[in-house]
Amino acid sequence: LGRKEEQALKLAVALQESEALLERAEEESARLRAELSETREERRAAAQRVEGVHAELHDVKRMRDELYAVVMEFETQVAEVQKQVKDLHHERHQLSEECAQATAALRVAEGDLARAR
């Protein structure tokens, strides 16, 4: 082969290698674009899940606050009931003492009445 033919052959080989390289680069570019698209979709789906979790967290915090308010109200009511029980116990004790005194006074009166007959 002549020198020109050799150079033409080398150029043809180089051209084929360049075209093959370009084809691989285009395939890689297409693969990366598809991967990017998939990643964007995953990111969008993740963002939606995060929004859902935030909304759920907000609801849970609201329910926690409402439950806390109910518990605090219940504790207030329990304290009121305990005070009423204490007051009623004290009142019962006083009435029991008054009843014992009245019973004793009644026995004394009965004794006085029996002696007066």
Side-chain angles (χ1 to χ4, degrees), residues 9-73:
L9 187 59
K10 284 181 182 180
L11 285 175
V13 168
L15 179 61
Q16 284 179 345
E17 289 174 354
S18 295
E19 287 174 348
L21 183 62
L22 178 61
E23 186 177 333
R24 286 194 304 273
E26 287 174 346
E27 288 171 358
E28 181 68 10
S29 175
R31 185 189 67 77
L32 289 173
R33 283 191 177 116
E35 190 176 313
L36 177 62
S37 177
E38 185 178 312
T39 301
R40 284 180 178 159
E41 180 59 29
E42 288 172 358
R43 183 175 170 233
R44 186 191 61 75
Q48 287 178 339
R49 286 192 304 272
V50 166
E51 286 178 25
V53 168
H54 281 169
E56 188 175 338
L57 178 61
H58 175 74
D59 290 345
V60 168
K61 285 181 177 180
R62 180 186 47 76
M63 287 187 287
R64 177 206 58 199
D65 294 344
E66 290 172 357
L67 183 58
Y68 181 76
V70 168
V71 168
M72 295 307 294
E73 177 62 26

Side-chain angles (χ1 to χ4, degrees), residues 102-114:
T103 301
L106 185 57
R107 285 188 184 140
V108 168
E110 286 175 344
D112 290 346
L113 184 59

Side-chain angles (χ1 to χ4, degrees), residues 47-98:
Q48 287 178 339
R49 286 192 304 272
V50 166
E51 286 178 25
V53 168
H54 281 169
E56 188 175 338
L57 178 61
H58 175 74
D59 290 345
V60 168
K61 285 181 177 180
R62 180 186 47 76
M63 287 187 287
R64 177 206 58 199
D65 294 344
E66 290 172 357
L67 183 58
Y68 181 76
V70 168
V71 168
M72 295 307 294
E73 177 62 26
F74 179 73
E75 286 182 359
T76 300
Q77 291 175 358
V78 166
E80 289 174 12
V81 168
Q82 287 175 334
K83 182 183 180 310
Q84 290 173 356
V85 166
K86 183 180 175 183
D87 291 347
L88 289 172
H89 179 73
H90 181 69
E91 183 179 341
R92 183 178 130 229
H93 181 70
Q94 285 180 332
L95 289 173
S96 179
E97 286 181 359
E98 290 175 12

